[in-house]
Amino acid sequence: MSRATMLAPVVAHRGASADAPENTIAAIRLAAEQGATAVEIDVSISADGVAFVHHDDSLERCTNGTGNLCTHDASYLDSLSAGVLFPDYINEPLPRLSAVLECIQELNMALNLEIKPKSGLEEPTTRIICQTVAEYWQAGNTLLYSSFSRDALKATMEYQPETPRALIVGAIPENWPEQLVAYNCSNFHFAAAHADKQALLAIRDEGYGLYCFTVNDAAEAAKLYELGVHGVFSDCPGALLGSEDLLA
Ligand code: G3P
Ligand code: MG
């Protein structure tokens, strides 16, 4: 029995984040131009309860802001550049989730929305994300929630039980069957360095979707497909999709 939520063999990780600023509209549009049909983004919330697409707790690495994202109001976050690591993209805004949802639907892509709550903010982060999705995402395109946070997954079961969800881990825990049942997951997402052949076979046999991060080398992706992985998260989807090694 398959319960998997299928994304794509190559999922753009934070957009085409090797070539454009991660988790921005520009990176998502570039991923689509590179041929990606599915994208992964990270989402957290501002102090006044607006969902923003951003990976780190802190603003320093990817934006011209300071401090933690969750301590600022949306008006401050709206004023920031998220393109500081890419000189050509210096005017690229730090995007609200609402704008990103509209963009992804315009591009007709599947979405893996990773919930990245600041510790202690799991419930409000998930609630606000689910509200934003309910307002801006039309039924039709594939949407999969995922999180390392069990509390966030639990909250999605309350706020949007019908939307499929994935547990994310680094290494594959021995009690994966209990965990996947406890959070009623369709998928299991894990770190590529921890691909264990026996475990992957067993997880796939149980019908779960299997995706792993982060894979920027086509030969490595091909090996993972052989092990039964359905897809890989990649910062350079265009390079993987254009490589002859992918299906070797
Ligand atoms: O969702 C897969 C992957 O994005 C998880 O790790 O830290 O890149 O968000 P991270
Ligand atoms: Mg992520």
Side-chain angles (χ1 to χ4, degrees):
M1 183 222 15
S2 175
R3 50 188 129 203
T5 302
M6 301 309 283
L7 296 166
V10 178
V11 181
H13 183 239
R14 313 178 194 175
S17 55
D19 301 315
E22 65 182 55
N23 282 316
T24 62
I25 299 263
I28 293 163
R29 289 196 182 282
L30 185 59
E33 280 168 31
Q34 292 182 358
T37 57
V39 63
E40 184 261 6
I41 57 170
D42 307 293
V43 186
S44 57
I45 56 166
S46 64
D48 54 348
V50 177
F52 278 84
V53 178
H54 190 249
H55 179 273
D56 302 355
D57 285 347
S58 149
L59 293 165
E60 268 87 356
R61 181 176 63 88
C62 295
T63 80
N64 57 351
T66 55
N68 282 349
L69 186 149
C70 69
T71 65
H72 292 288
D73 282 351
S75 59
Y76 171 76
L77 299 171
D78 283 337
S79 75
L80 298 180
S81 163
V84 294
L85 295 172
F86 290 80
D88 289 348
Y89 292 94
I90 201 64
N91 294 321
E92 188 63 29
L94 174 66
R96 292 186 179 212
L97 175 60
S98 54
V100 167
L101 293 177
E102 285 177 338
C103 169
I104 291 170
Q105 289 172 105
E106 177 204 317
L107 298 169
N108 201 24
M109 298 174 93
L111 171 61
N112 176 198
L113 190 163
E114 181 184 342
I115 303 169
K116 274 274 195 240
K118 176 100 174 71
S119 179
L121 295 180
E122 291 83 359
E123 190 280 330
T125 302
T126 307
R127 174 166 38 81
I128 288 161
I129 288 171
C130 288
Q131 284 166 353
T132 310
V133 164
E135 189 173 349
Y136 288 92
W137 190 262
Q138 320 297 321
N141 285 29
T142 299
L143 168 65
L144 171 70
Y145 287 127
S146 65
S147 194
F148 287 97
S149 162
R150 276 70 170 168
D151 288 340
L153 291 179
K154 223 184 287 174
T156 66
M157 293 166 77
E158 180 181 344
Y159 294 121
Q160 244 162 47
E162 301 308 323
T163 304
R165 66 195 69 77
L167 174 65
I168 313 176
V169 298
I172 301 173
E174 271 187 25
N175 70 344
W176 62 262
E178 290 81 7
Q179 293 204 46
L180 292 177
V181 167
Y183 302 107
N184 194 18
C185 292
S186 70
N187 281 29
F188 184 69
H189 297 178
F190 68 99
H194 298 287
D196 172 84
K197 192 174 178 178
Q198 293 312 319
L200 295 183
L201 273 177
I203 296 167
R204 215 181 134 131
D205 272 358
E206 288 296 317
Y208 293 106
L210 262 178
Y211 288 81
C212 75
F213 55 93
T214 303
V215 180
N216 293 332
D217 177 74
E220 186 188 359
K223 278 190 199 134
L224 288 159
Y225 297 152
E226 261 181 47
L227 291 176
V229 165
H230 293 106
V232 297
F233 297 99
S234 178
D235 301 328
C236 46
L240 257 62
L241 289 166
S243 169
E244 289 182 0
D245 289 339
L246 196 68
L247 299 173

